[in-house]
Amino acid sequence: MLNNVPKILSPELLKVLCEMGHGDVIVLGDGNFPADRFAREGGCKLVRCDGHGVPELLEAILTMIPLDAYVEHPVHIMEVAESDKGLDVPIWDTYKSIVAKHDARGADAFGSYERFEFYDNAKKSYCIVQTGEEAIYANIALQKGVIK
């Protein structure tokens, strides 16, 4: 056991966070996200966090790693598909609130990718985390910064 490590972070996920270097990306996929397939297709790591939601994992991860200060948008969410235009996605406000606690840029740290662009980028990530998040459009990608 270790002190000051959020209990939600499994040893496997902690190992991934330690292995990641500056600029590496970790994707938190919601329960509908095809994480296993994308990890296999992209050759990236897969960590399962079934039963956990993205907000609590996001909070825990951001206590352990900084976001990349050398890029405009170290956080990316998946844009709403054309067929879902106008859909309210309240979890994004939750994400912005969490990020604002850990990065002075707050909502300005966020960028977005069209759905298939998000998928393509997820396949290039260092790791995809499969969560049990039930909210839709709850996928988020984080680019790790420099530990100082």
Side-chain angles (χ1 to χ4, degrees), residues 97-110:
S97 176
I98 293 168
V99 167
K101 290 192 288 184
H102 299 277
D103 191 289
R105 292 171 287 186
D108 290 336
F110 282 74

Side-chain angles (χ1 to χ4, degrees), residues 69-81:
Y70 300 106
V71 297
E72 184 177 4
H73 301 295
V75 180
H76 282 89
I77 53 177
M78 181 189 295
E79 294 172 3
V80 174

Side-chain angles (χ1 to χ4, degrees), residues 11-62:
E12 184 181 17
L13 186 50
L14 279 172
K15 180 179 182 292
V16 164
L17 295 174
C18 287
E19 291 171 342
M20 289 175 64
H22 170 243
D24 283 339
V25 173
I26 186 167
V27 173
L28 305 179
D30 61 33
N32 288 304
F33 193 74
D36 182 67
R37 178 168 54 97
F38 288 165
R40 280 186 283 115
E41 288 176 5
C44 58
K45 296 177 185 290
L46 173 69
V47 174
R48 298 204 61 100
C49 289
D50 304 282
H52 295 296
V54 173
E56 54 265 29
L57 284 164
L58 177 63
E59 177 72 48
I61 288 168
L62 290 179

Side-chain angles (χ1 to χ4, degrees), residues 28-33 54-55 77-81 83-95 119 131-140:
L28 305 179
D30 61 33
N32 288 304
F33 193 74
V54 173
I77 53 177
M78 181 189 295
E79 294 172 3
V80 174
S83 61
D84 289 332
K85 285 291 185 210
L87 181 71
D88 185 36
V89 186
I91 199 161
W92 292 348
D93 291 330
T94 302
Y95 293 170
Y119 290 164
T131 74
E133 181 59 58
E134 295 180 4
I136 58 173
Y137 291 102
N139 308 303
I140 188 168

